[in-house]
């Protein structure tokens, strides 16, 4: 035990003598004066401080107080020479007071006991302080915290528990915890049993009874302690309300408050299950609003939303309480009517159409819309909720196709037709992915000079079955199935490549522009400008030679995005024409604000402008309006000389239509052959007249050898390598017939796939690789050279656009093939046959790029 001895007597005093006698059991430090003792206490700690004093009691008490103030947790023992224990003032300050007679015998035991008592007091005080702090923390917690004894009595209770359950601590302490549980609940017993097993309860959601008798939703944690459990409770009624609201929002339409498609499917499945159990029908009606898009575009989304809310209220008001009205998306609503057969469903559909057709008053305007309703009833139809909804949806589209504002009961033939549409859409997507579509071009003529000044690029699809699929069929399919933007990009890429190459070969004049149509989906794409710029860069076509055509409807669907896209296209230098002008819902001020360079007068006005004064007035007004705004005008659908002359007199600058030509392959455009011949003659600079022969074109006076067509060359013993697409090779096979089979068998004719060849000769750097060229083309040259002494190469590379390969590689390959070829084809109409050799080529065959021939 460590002791600080404070005494001025270092000799034979009683205290000094006692300390020396107990030196073996004490670790003693001596201080001769009070100041030195206080200084020592400031830096060191002791178990006991022994103060020996001979001064009167009052002075001794003052010394003891001074030491007590500094000795901290050490026991204070005062040895007084004259006083007995309990001397005045000392017993109030010191833990132990010893007289002279007490320092003999067993005094050290008393000092040790005093020191131990002091330590216990210190620890008790510290524990009480910690307990008070903990109690303060628990009482300040927002969670309800209370303890329950093993017998079930509440033994502690914080303020949050009082706030949650309504009982004050005075009211609940000592009472049975069952008071907090609903009548008949055995939860207290179960919680105590779990705690007694040493297990903890976490996140137990339950209910508790409050002082006012109400039930509160709480989540509990329970942990065992020495003689019972500690319970922590949290009010979760707010969380439950939030969860319920989130579920409601997830399952309901935010605008109308009606069930959404997810909740509709759940409720419909419930209705079908119940109906099958009791043997009653369930009718599903899908109502799609007619003319809603026009209202939304013309009056804005705010008015459109109010129309949707009004329609929802009308439908909700007209059905039975057992019926379900839902908004499945956009302007489409669904009614589920249990216990309704086909006849009753048809009557309900008629009422729906009539209710929706009533004028809707929005901002003092009476707006009118209609509805087309599809009906599916189970039975007689079978299937789950999803199938029944699909049937009703198919019937709705059939109703629209038959004239709108009518209803249609589902028939199995509709499903087959819808299946055919899905199959056709999948085949179209496949054809697009494998570059099996074509692009035809309708020429645009200058009405003054009758010269071609532009072409409109239009997609064409020859179905694998052999029949052509109309654009009126496959373009809406692409739009409905979400890949119309892919089709737009494909046509854009192909058109830019085709026109660039046709201008390069002289098949089109340098000032001819190409127009490409853009859908609303493409116009809404933030990457549109970058896509167009990339197509122009890869093809080498100047931006001034490209015109993008957009409809009024497409622009109105998202005005801000459309304006941004159009401004970006104009910044590139491309032209922008507003297609089908006059048939949309835009105002004239809207036309003034749009960054367009021209308008196309819709064929519906041009068709009757000659005979109907109203259409003539509209057409003339459009021409004058465009001229006043500095816009170009293009008239569509010119089919008669009278229409052409009328548009010319009105001052329309350009026009297109069947009067001149429909959409045809690029090299079938009027005048394309003459332009090519003129370009070729100019390029070769022939010095002497060329001797023409009706059966065979002989040696070129400029020094190169030629053949009038592949048939003529093969029959003359020449060898040929043909680089083109599979579809073109099939045309060559049909045209050459048995000669093709014989030439291939002899090794006189070798055919290479254009896309595979381009891919094979492209190096890692995206350029033509000489080594790869030697491996691919060189081997074919050696094979044909082994059979015949003269080898020609006919290459058609212009159609290879998907996947897009480097235009630089295509150009370099075309030049390299041209250099390797010893022969040239001087064909007129088709490379496989000419008039002199009697071949027949189908009119719809599109001529590819043959600039390497």
């Amino acid at each position: 035990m460590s002791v600080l001895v404070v005494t001025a007597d270092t000799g034979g005093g009683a205290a000094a003598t006692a300390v020396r006698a107990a030196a073996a059991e004490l670790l003693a430090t001596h201080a001769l004066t009070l100041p030195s003792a206080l200084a020592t206490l400031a830096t060191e700690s002791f178990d006991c401080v022994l103060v020996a004093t001979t001064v009167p009691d009052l002075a001794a008490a003052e010394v003891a107080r001074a030491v007590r103030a500094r000795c901290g947790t050490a026991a204070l023992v005062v040895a007084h020479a004259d006083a007995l224990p309990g001397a005045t003032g000392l017993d109030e300050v010191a833990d132990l007071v010893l007289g002279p007679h007490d320092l003999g015998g067993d005094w050290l035991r008393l000092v040790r006991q005093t020191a131990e008592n002091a330590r216990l007091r210190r620890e008790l005080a510290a524990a009480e302080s910690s307990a008070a702090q903990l109690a303060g923390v628990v009482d300040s917690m927002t969670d309800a915290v209370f303890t329950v004894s093993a017998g079930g009595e509440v033994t502690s209770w914080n303020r949050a528990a009082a706030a949650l359950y309504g009982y004050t601590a005075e009211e609940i302490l000592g009472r049975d915890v069952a008071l907090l549980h609903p009548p008949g609940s055995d939860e207290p017993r179960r919680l105590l049993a779990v705690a007694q097993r040493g297990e903890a309860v976490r996140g137990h959601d339950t209910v508790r009874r409050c002082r006012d008798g109400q039930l509160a939703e709480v989540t509990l944690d329970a942990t065992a302690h020495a003689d019972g459990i500690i319970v922590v409770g949290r009010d979760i009624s707010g969380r439950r309300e939030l969860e319920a609201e989130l579920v409601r929002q997830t399952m309901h339409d935010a605008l109308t408050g009606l069930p959404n498609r997810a909740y509709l499917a759940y409720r419909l499945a419930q209705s079908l299950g119940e109906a099958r159990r009791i043997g009653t029908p369930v009718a599903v009606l899908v109502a799609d609003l007619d003319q809603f898009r026009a209202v939304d575009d013309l009056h804005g989304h705010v008015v459109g939303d109010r129309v949707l809310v009004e329609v929802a209220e009308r439908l909700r008001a007209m059905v039975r309480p057992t019926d379900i009205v839902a908004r499945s998306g956009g302007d489409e609503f669904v009614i589920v009517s249990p216990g309704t057969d086909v006849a009753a469903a048809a009557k309900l559909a008629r009422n729906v159409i009539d209710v929706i057709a009533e004028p809707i008053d929005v901002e003092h305007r009476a707006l009118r819309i209609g509805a087309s309703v599809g009906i599916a009833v189970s039975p007689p139809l079978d299937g789950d909720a999803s199938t029944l909804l699909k049937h009703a949806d198919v019937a709705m589209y059939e109703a629209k196709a038959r004239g709108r504002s009518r209803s249609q009961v589902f028939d199995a033939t509709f499903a087959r037709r819808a299946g055919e549409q899905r199959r056709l859409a999948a085949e179209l997507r496949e054809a697009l992915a494998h570059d099996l579509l074509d692009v035809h071009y309708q020429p645009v003529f200058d009405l003054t000079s009758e010269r071609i000044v532009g072409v409109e690029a239009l997609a064409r699809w020859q179905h694998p079955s052999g029949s052509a699929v109309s654009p009126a069929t496959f373009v809406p399919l692409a739009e409905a199935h979400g890949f119309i933007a892919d089709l737009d990009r494909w046509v854009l890429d192909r058109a830019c490549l085709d026109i660039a190459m046709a201008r390069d070969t002289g098949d089109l004049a340098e000032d001819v522009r190409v127009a490409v149509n853009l859908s609303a989906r493409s116009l809404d794409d933030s990457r549109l400008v970058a896509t167009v710029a990339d197509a122009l860069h890869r093809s080498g076509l100047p931006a001034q030679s490209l015109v993008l055509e957009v409809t009024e409807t497409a622009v109105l669907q998202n005005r801000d995005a459309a304006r941004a896209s159009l401004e970006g296209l104009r910044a590139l230098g491309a032209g922008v024409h507003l297609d089908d002008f006059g048939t949309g819902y835009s105002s004239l001020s809207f036309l003034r604000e749009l960054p367009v360079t021209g308008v196309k007068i819709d064929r519906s006005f041009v068709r009757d402008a000659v005979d109907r004064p109203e259409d003539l007035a509209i057409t003339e007004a459009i021409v004058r309006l465009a001229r006043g705004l500095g816009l170009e005008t293009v008239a569509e659908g010119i089919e008669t000389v009278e229409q052409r002359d009328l548009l010319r007199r009105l001052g329309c600058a350009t026009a297109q239509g069947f009067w001149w030509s429909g959409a045809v392959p690029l090299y079938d455009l009027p005048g394309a052959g003459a332009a090519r011949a003129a370009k070729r003659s100019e390029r070769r600079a022939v010095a002497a007249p060329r001797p023409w022969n009706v059966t065979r074109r002989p040696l070129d006076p400029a020094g190169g050898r030629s053949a009038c067509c592949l048939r003529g060359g093969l029959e003359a013993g020449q060898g040929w390598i043909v680089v083109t697409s599979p579809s073109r090779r099939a045309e060559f096979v049909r045209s050459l017939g048995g000669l093709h089979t014989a030439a291939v068998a002899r090794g006189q004719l070798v055919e290479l796939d254009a896309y595979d060849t381009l891919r094979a000769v492209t190096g890692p750097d995206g350029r033509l690789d000489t080594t790869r060229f030697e491996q691919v083309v060189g081997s074919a040259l050696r094979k044909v050279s082994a059979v015949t002494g003269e080898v020609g190469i006919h290459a058609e590379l212009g159609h290879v656009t998907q996947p897009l390969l480097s235009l630089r590689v295509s150009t370099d390959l075309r030049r390299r093939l041209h250099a390797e070829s010893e022969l040239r084809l001087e064909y007129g109409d088709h490379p496989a046959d000419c008039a002199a050799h009697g071949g027949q080529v189908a009119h719809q065959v599109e001529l590819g790029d043959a600039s390497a021939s």
Side-chain angles (χ1 to χ4, degrees):
M1 182 174 64
S2 60
V3 178
L4 174 64
V5 181
V6 184
T7 178
D9 180 13
T10 60
T17 301
V19 170
R20 281 198 302 271
E25 300 179 56
L26 297 176
L27 181 61
T29 301
H30 293 270
L32 300 178
T33 63
L34 180 60
S36 65
L38 297 179
T40 301
L41 288 173
T43 58
E44 299 181 49
S45 61
F46 300 89
D47 295 322
C48 178
V49 178
L50 175 61
V51 180
T53 178
T54 58
V55 298
D57 290 349
L58 292 177
E62 290 299 323
V63 172
R65 288 191 183 92
V67 173
R68 168 61 77 191
R70 296 289 184 90
C71 71
T73 59
L76 176 60
V77 177
V78 177
H80 195 273
D82 299 324
L84 295 174
T88 305
L90 284 176
D91 56 347
E92 297 176 0
V93 180
D95 296 309
L96 177 65
V97 179
L98 298 175
H101 61 279
D102 294 323
L103 293 174
D106 201 17
W107 72 276
L108 190 57
R109 182 184 62 80
L110 293 175
V111 171
R112 281 199 178 97
Q113 184 176 355
T114 300
E116 179 65 16
N117 290 339
R119 184 185 64 79
L120 292 176
R121 285 196 303 272
R122 291 196 305 272
E123 292 180 355
L124 178 61
E128 289 175 346
S129 175
S130 298
Q133 289 179 352
L134 179 61
V137 170
V138 170
D139 209 41
S140 64
M141 290 177 63
T142 57
D143 291 340
V145 181
F146 59 95
T147 56
V148 181
S149 69
E153 293 84 15
V154 178
T155 55
S156 68
W157 190 257
N158 74 345
R159 283 185 294 180
L164 175 60
Y165 297 107
Y167 292 98
T168 64
E170 292 76 13
E171 292 173 324
I172 195 69
L173 291 178
R175 302 183 68 177
D176 197 309
V177 73
L179 183 67
L180 304 178
H181 293 258
S185 172
D186 65 343
E187 264 195 16
R189 179 185 58 78
R190 289 189 286 110
L191 288 175
L192 285 169
V194 169
Q196 288 170 357
R197 293 197 300 268
E199 301 173 7
V201 176
R202 294 285 183 267
H204 175 58
D205 291 351
T206 183
V207 293
R208 287 291 181 268
R209 185 174 58 177
C210 300
R211 190 176 188 278
D212 60 3
Q214 298 294 318
L215 295 180
E217 292 184 286
V218 297
T219 182
L220 298 180
D221 294 340
T223 308
H225 79 107
D227 60 346
I229 57 175
I230 300 173
V231 180
V232 178
R234 184 178 300 112
D235 185 1
I236 59 172
S237 57
R239 190 187 80 187
R240 294 291 195 192
E241 292 173 1
L242 178 60
E243 289 173 349
E245 177 61 19
L246 289 175
V247 169
R248 192 197 69 78
Q249 291 180 10
T250 303
M251 305 299 283
H252 288 76
D253 173 52
L255 177 64
T256 63
L258 296 176
N260 60 16
R261 194 171 187 87
Y263 193 30
L264 167 67
Y266 170 73
R267 294 288 303 276
L268 177 55
Q270 281 187 322
S271 297
L272 286 173
E274 178 66 15
R276 286 165 184 163
R277 187 180 66 81
I278 62 178
T280 57
V282 174
V284 176
L285 286 72
V286 174
D288 190 83
L289 304 184
D290 301 327
Q291 296 92 39
F292 176 76
R293 176 62 61 81
V295 171
D296 204 38
D297 290 344
L298 186 60
H299 300 291
H301 296 316
V302 174
V303 172
D305 287 349
R306 292 179 62 177
V307 169
L308 292 174
V309 171
E310 176 63 23
V311 169
E313 291 298 326
R314 292 183 181 185
L315 294 179
R316 196 154 29 198
M318 67 170 290
V319 300
R320 302 170 303 177
T322 55
D323 293 343
I324 303 165
V325 180
R327 182 189 178 202
S328 58
D331 57 352
E332 188 173 279
F333 296 84
V334 179
I335 298 175
V336 176
S337 183
T340 301
D341 58 16
V342 174
K347 183 177 179 181
L348 176 60
R350 185 68 259 167
N351 292 338
V352 168
I353 294 171
D354 291 343
V355 164
I356 294 176
E358 295 176 4
I360 298 176
D361 185 19
V362 179
E363 296 179 356
H364 308 294
R365 286 175 292 194
L367 303 178
R368 292 182 180 272
I369 57 174
S372 299
V373 181
I375 304 169
V377 181
S378 173
L381 297 175
D382 197 8
D384 57 11
S386 176
T387 302
L388 207 60
L389 283 170
K390 288 179 181 177
H391 289 340
D393 206 45
V394 168
M396 181 272 293
Y397 279 109
E398 185 67 22
K400 280 187 176 293
R402 296 189 178 189
R404 300 175 182 269
S405 294
R406 54 171 296 158
S407 63
Q408 181 65 56
V409 178
F410 175 81
D411 187 270
T413 58
F414 303 161
R416 287 195 294 271
R417 190 180 308 145
E420 291 171 359
Q421 293 289 301
R422 288 193 295 271
R423 176 185 56 79
L424 194 62
E427 292 173 343
L428 174 60
R429 194 189 292 269
E430 187 76 6
L432 183 61
H434 291 84
D435 196 30
L436 299 179
L437 302 179
D438 289 314
V439 176
H440 287 189
Y441 298 88
Q442 185 174 33
V444 178
F445 285 84
D446 182 283
L447 285 176
T448 302
S449 64
E450 291 280 331
R451 186 177 66 87
I452 294 180
V453 293
V455 291
E456 181 178 2
L458 300 166
R460 294 293 183 263
W461 182 24
Q462 194 76 16
H463 193 268
S465 64
S467 60
V469 182
S470 169
T473 298
F474 72 76
V475 171
L477 270 181
E479 190 162 10
H481 288 79
F483 58 95
I484 185 65
D486 296 331
L487 180 60
D488 289 347
R489 284 192 295 272
W490 185 88
V491 174
L492 173 68
D493 289 326
R494 174 68 177 273
C496 288
L497 284 168
D498 281 357
I499 301 307
M501 291 179 181
R503 287 164 51 139
D504 182 55
T505 59
D507 289 289
L508 288 177
E510 293 290 336
D511 60 348
V512 170
R513 298 188 297 175
V514 59
V516 177
N517 292 283
L518 293 179
S519 64
R521 185 71 61 87
S522 290
L523 202 57
D524 200 29
D525 188 350
S526 60
R527 300 166 297 177
L528 174 62
V529 177
T531 299
V532 173
D534 186 51
L536 291 170
H537 174 72
R538 282 185 280 101
S539 66
L541 186 71
Q544 294 74 15
S545 299
L546 176 65
V547 175
L548 287 313
E549 296 186 357
V550 297
T551 64
E552 292 178 75
T553 304
V555 173
L556 287 168
Q557 285 189 20
N558 190 338
R559 297 191 184 192
D560 294 337
R563 185 186 302 277
S565 294
L566 297 182
E567 289 174 348
L569 295 174
R570 291 292 298 118
L572 284 179
V576 178
H577 284 182
L578 199 59
D579 202 3
D580 302 334
F581 183 72
T583 62
Y585 300 92
S586 62
S587 62
L588 296 181
S589 62
F590 183 56
L591 174 63
R592 181 187 60 196
E593 296 168 2
L594 282 178
V596 298
T597 59
V599 296
K600 298 190 74 172
I601 305 173
D602 188 69
R603 66 183 68 248
S604 61
F605 301 128
V606 173
R607 182 179 57 243
D608 298 322
V610 174
D611 301 318
R612 294 185 58 185
E614 298 87 349
D615 288 330
L616 173 60
I618 293 174
T619 304
E620 184 177 10
I622 294 174
V623 172
R624 289 184 176 180
L625 174 65
R627 187 187 302 126
L629 295 175
L631 303 178
E632 302 170 3
T633 51
V634 183
E636 296 181 293
I638 305 298
E639 297 180 356
T640 66
V641 66
E642 290 82 9
Q643 292 170 345
R644 182 201 65 183
D645 293 343
L646 174 62
L647 267 298
R648 182 183 293 163
R649 288 197 303 271
L650 292 178
C652 183
T654 56
Q656 63 189 90
F658 285 103
W659 168 249
W660 294 283
S661 171
V664 296
L666 182 63
Y667 294 107
D668 286 345
L669 285 170
R676 182 172 62 246
K679 185 79 172 181
R680 182 183 296 113
S681 176
E682 176 185 340
R683 184 169 62 247
R684 291 185 177 177
V686 178
R690 178 180 289 179
W692 293 101
N693 187 302
V694 293
T695 58
R696 188 67 49 83
R697 295 178 183 176
L699 291 176
D700 188 330
R705 293 184 58 81
S706 63
C708 56
C709 62
L710 279 178
R711 179 182 293 278
L714 293 173
E715 288 178 352
Q718 299 170 350
W720 282 92
I721 297 174
V722 175
V723 187
T724 188
S725 66
S727 59
R728 291 284 289 156
R729 289 201 303 274
E731 292 294 339
F732 290 165
V733 171
R734 287 196 293 271
S735 297
L736 297 174
L739 178 60
H740 176 272
T741 305
V744 171
R746 289 194 302 269
Q748 186 184 358
L749 175 63
V750 172
E751 296 169 305
L752 300 176
D753 182 272
Y755 171 67
D756 289 343
T757 302
L758 270 173
R759 184 174 58 182
V761 302
T762 302
D765 60 351
R767 306 288 295 272
L768 178 69
D769 187 284
T770 305
T771 303
R772 295 186 179 194
F773 177 87
E774 175 61 26
Q775 291 172 347
V776 177
V777 180
S779 61
L781 282 168
R782 288 190 292 274
K783 178 179 178 180
V784 179
S785 297
V787 178
T788 177
E790 297 178 317
V791 181
I793 302 176
H794 175 72
E796 298 180 354
L797 305 178
H799 65 282
V800 182
T801 60
Q802 177 97 13
L804 288 169
L805 296 167
S806 170
L807 179 64
R808 184 187 299 274
V809 175
S810 177
T811 303
D812 291 347
L813 178 60
R814 187 166 59 247
R815 291 172 179 168
R816 185 68 183 271
L817 293 174
H818 188 279
E820 295 288 345
S821 179
E822 298 173 331
L823 301 169
R824 306 284 183 267
L825 284 185
E826 295 290 348
Y827 61 90
D829 298 320
H830 191 269
D833 290 301
C834 65
H837 288 87
Q840 297 297 322
V841 181
H843 175 71
Q844 66 268 27
V845 173
E846 177 187 350
L847 216 54
D849 169 34
S851 57
S853 299

